[in-house]
Amino acid sequence: MDEEYDVIVLGTGLKECILSGLLSVDGLKVLHMDKNDYYGGESSSLNLNQLWKRFRGDEQPPEKLGTSKEYNVDMIPKFMMANGALVRVLIHTNVTKYLNFKAVDGSFVYNKGKIYKVPATDVEALKSSLMGLFEKRRLRKFFIFVQDFEESNPKTHEGMDLNKITARELISKYELEDDTIDFIGHALALQIDDAYLDQPAMAFVKRVKLYAESLARFQAGSPYIYPMYGLGELPQAFARLSAVYGGTYMLNKPQCKVEFDANGKAYGVTSEGETAKCKKVVCDPSYLSEKVKKVGKVARAICIMSHPIPDTNDSHSCQVILPQKQLGRKSDMYLFCCSYAHNVAPNGKYIAFVATEAETDDPQAELKPGVDLLGPVDEIFYETYDRFEPTNCPDADGCFISSSYDGTTHFESTVVDVISMYSKITGKALDLSVDLSAASAAAAAEE
């Protein structure tokens, strides 16, 4: 192994695979290794037997659940915004040709004990049963402002500078009620807390706009798309892409040890007695545990059901967001549901996740408000996992470490981390101006 690589990537989690793909497309020489004998790391996709082994040890799954291989249960399930940054990254790398997407049926929000469809346009605002008549009209005005808003055209700014005023100030102009602000901020702009209210309104408006534009894209009931067979397809698609560009993938490489020189800079990775040399190392927190700190933990329930989530219009796939205030919590709770319609379970079976940033040590009690919305479940598994963030200085040690996945059921925060890591590794911004229609053929054809 005398050749030197530009980058060695450790772990085949979603973030690592996307970065490996982007760097390969940029012409860098990439070696990608994983200590596991399967793709995906923390974000792997399990069949029924693997799921049982992970949560129930030596027990066998009951036969009534169907064939093991028909299950593709994503351990980090997240939907993609149809016009969002992740889809742009997938198109930019041309990895879309290995994937088949299908639109997600529904996007819902929890309010005062009930589930409602998230209204995202002026027309939907008037139809929504989430608000009274006068509030509908006020919300409609806000949506029309957002729909017409163009950053480059001051005529659409209604005399406001959205880089100077806060989201709170913009919203107060429309005199919206707290419950309305709650669902716009959390279910449309996908903010994970209320800090956005005191930040410039520009980012908030762009996020609401992204939701509405993504919703319009496939004329489905939600702005989200999801790959057929689940997210487990992504790491493998990126592995194929990387190979096209001369990158090398190696699974099942035990004890991948990062080697540092006298100045503390990474120069290679050793596995099974051989050292591959490199200029930079990219990895998930499990490969360099001494360079990360625990910042929180995620509590979640994984359920197998024989019906859709009640009150979601029989959606075969959907997301329900439970804003923190509705539950008297510090963080939102998320419901994710997918089914045989996306080939992640056998015919008639549904996979549901309930997830949140853990605030206690009792996931079962903490997740109860979400689990109660699911109706009867065939099986339920509870778990918590720690979230880590890097503490190192990549300029000094040449190590670029991703943050652990959060409890959200959409990709917005994940892809922010990927894009910022890309810029740190390459010293340049990622160009995401792509022709979005490149990813729509498959999604539209599935409808």
Side-chain angles (χ1 to χ4, degrees):
M1 282 190 159
D2 290 339
E3 50 186 336
E4 186 182 21
Y5 294 89
D6 293 310
V7 179
I8 293 182
V9 181
L10 300 177
T12 49
L14 279 166
K15 292 184 186 184
E16 288 68 38
C17 287
I18 296 169
L19 283 165
S20 162
L22 287 170
L23 298 170
S24 299
V25 171
D26 272 358
L28 296 182
K29 193 171 176 186
V30 179
L31 169 62
H32 201 147
M33 301 201 280
D34 196 317
K35 56 192 172 192
N36 300 311
D37 58 359
Y38 56 85
Y39 282 109
E42 294 298 316
S43 50
S44 62
S45 189
L46 307 184
N47 64 29
L48 194 60
N49 291 340
Q50 291 167 323
L51 189 68
W52 237 254
K53 192 175 159 193
R54 176 165 168 161
F55 291 104
R56 301 262 199 266
D58 294 334
E59 263 183 60
Q60 287 304 305
E63 280 182 10
K64 68 174 196 311
L65 292 179
T67 329
S68 170
K69 68 176 192 306
E70 287 192 62
Y71 284 87
N72 295 294
V73 184
D74 292 317
M75 288 295 96
I76 306 283
K78 290 178 188 288
F79 290 131
M80 303 172 193
M81 192 66 95
N83 287 11
L86 179 60
V87 170
R88 289 173 185 274
V89 167
L90 298 179
I91 294 169
H92 173 87
T93 57
N94 202 13
V95 82
T96 37
K97 64 176 177 238
Y98 304 120
L99 296 163
N100 204 343
F101 292 103
K102 188 171 176 179
V104 170
D105 290 343
S107 172
F108 300 88
V109 65
Y110 175 84
N111 188 275
K112 297 198 178 72
K114 285 176 47 192
I115 292 178
Y116 297 90
K117 183 179 190 305
V118 176
T121 62
D122 54 326
V123 180
E124 288 184 350
L126 291 179
K127 284 197 277 196
S128 175
S129 56
L130 197 51
M131 306 149 285
L133 182 63
F134 296 110
E135 183 68 356
K136 285 182 186 182
R137 290 177 185 166
R138 290 189 285 264
L139 180 60
R140 179 173 175 265
K141 280 190 185 141
F142 171 72
F143 279 152
I144 289 172
F145 166 71
V146 171
Q147 278 152 239
D148 294 343
F149 181 83
E150 286 173 43
E151 194 172 359
S152 55
N153 179 2
K155 287 198 186 95
T156 65
H157 299 187
E158 296 190 4
M160 297 178 286
D161 182 345
L162 295 196
N163 289 311
K164 292 219 170 81
I165 66 166
T166 63
R168 193 186 298 277
E169 289 166 324
L170 170 67
I171 292 167
S172 69
K173 190 184 155 180
Y174 293 90
E175 300 179 343
L176 298 172
E177 293 163 8
D178 281 353
D179 272 349
T180 309
I181 296 168
D182 215 21
F183 86 72
I184 298 173
H186 293 259
L188 278 169
L190 302 178
Q191 301 289 352
I192 53 176
D193 55 33
D194 282 339
Y196 75 94
L197 285 167
D198 299 308
Q199 289 158 3
M202 182 66 83
F204 164 67
V205 167
K206 282 183 174 169
R207 289 179 80 156
V208 176
K209 213 173 161 64
L210 170 65
Y211 186 103
E213 286 167 0
S214 296
L215 183 67
R217 174 96 176 274
F218 297 130
Q219 306 294 317
S222 87
Y224 303 109
I225 60 175
Y226 202 63
M228 296 298 281
Y229 303 99
L231 295 175
E233 295 297 291
L234 274 176
Q236 294 175 49
F238 275 107
R240 288 167 72 180
L241 175 85
S242 180
V244 171
Y245 286 94
T248 310
Y249 263 68
M250 296 180 183
L251 291 178
N252 209 3
K253 298 295 283 182
Q255 286 103 30
C256 291
K257 179 173 176 288
V258 181
E259 301 289 355
F260 295 93
D261 64 19
N263 302 322
K265 202 171 183 78
Y267 69 82
V269 174
T270 302
S271 173
E272 301 178 297
E274 282 194 87
T275 302
K277 295 202 163 109
C278 64
K279 301 182 181 110
K280 291 171 180 167
V281 170
V282 173
C283 65
D284 71 42
S286 72
Y287 287 85
L288 283 172
S289 50
E290 70 281 7
K291 290 182 184 281
V292 297
K293 64 170 193 276
K294 179 180 163 181
V295 289
K297 61 180 179 179
V298 173
R300 60 182 182 177
I302 304 169
C303 310
I304 300 174
M305 319 195 295
S306 299
H307 59 85
I309 297 178
D311 304 319
T312 60
N313 309 339
D314 291 334
S315 295
H316 285 93
S317 52
C318 69
Q319 172 179 265
V320 186
I321 294 183
L322 290 69
Q324 54 198 46
K325 273 193 193 146
Q326 299 291 326
L327 302 174
R329 295 173 48 80
K330 295 187 201 66
S331 41
D332 294 357
M333 194 172 289
Y334 301 86
L335 304 190
F336 169 102
C337 177
C338 221
S339 69
Y340 59 94
H342 276 82
N343 296 5
V344 299
N347 210 353
K349 293 292 180 198
Y350 295 74
I351 308 291
F353 277 75
V354 183
T356 188
E357 182 67 17
E359 295 172 13
T360 68
D361 289 322
D362 184 353
Q364 211 159 328
E366 195 163 353
L367 296 168
K368 190 175 185 312
V371 173
D372 285 351
L373 295 172
L374 299 178
V377 299
D378 302 342
E379 288 290 340
I380 185 162
F381 309 95
Y382 288 97
E383 77 168 346
T384 51
Y385 65 87
D386 291 335
R387 283 196 309 111
F388 297 96
E389 277 177 11
T391 53
N392 65 317
C393 170
D395 290 343
D397 62 13
C399 298
F400 301 83
I401 308 169
S402 60
S403 301
S404 307
Y405 300 94
D406 61 20
T408 60
T409 44
H410 49 73
F411 265 110
E412 299 307 292
S413 49
T414 302
V415 80
V416 167
D417 189 31
V418 168
I419 291 168
S420 103
M421 285 178 72
Y422 173 86
S423 299
K424 285 179 187 150
I425 296 163
T426 61
K428 61 182 189 184
L430 181 57
D431 175 19
L432 288 179
S433 52
V434 293
D435 173 15
L436 279 164
S437 64
S440 68
E446 288 294 335
E447 287 309 302

